[in-house]
Amino acid sequence: MAGAVVYSDDLEKNAVYEMANGDDTKITSLKPPKINDVRIVELDIHASNGVIHVIDTVILPPSAM
């Protein structure tokens, strides 16, 4: 959901969200939280234009793989 604010409490396993580049991404685990099997290491960091979730690796679009 690019342009939307999604807090960690709103995440649901297997939910699909649209990223800023238009690609879809999937929540693959809640404990620990993972997006496309990449671990989310910091949650709900407030920014002036939304919320940030820090991951421990780079997520590449399918076309780059």
Side-chain angles (χ1 to χ4, degrees):
M1 293 190 330
V5 175
V6 180
Y7 290 97
S8 59
D9 289 342
D10 300 328
L11 298 177
E12 297 177 20
K13 187 173 180 182
N14 297 318
V16 176
Y17 296 97
E18 181 182 349
M19 298 185 67
N21 68 354
D23 288 341
D24 286 339
T25 190
K26 185 176 181 180
I27 303 301
T28 54
S29 174
L30 294 177
K31 304 247 185 236
K34 291 183 178 181
I35 184 169
N36 288 1
D37 292 322
V38 173
R39 193 167 58 100
I40 303 171
V41 295
E42 290 187 51
L43 299 164
D44 301 334
I45 300 169
H46 296 274
S48 62
N49 62 344
V51 64
I52 299 167
H53 305 294
V54 180
I55 58 177
D56 67 353
T57 192
V58 175
I59 297 176
L60 295 173
S63 60
M65 297 177 149

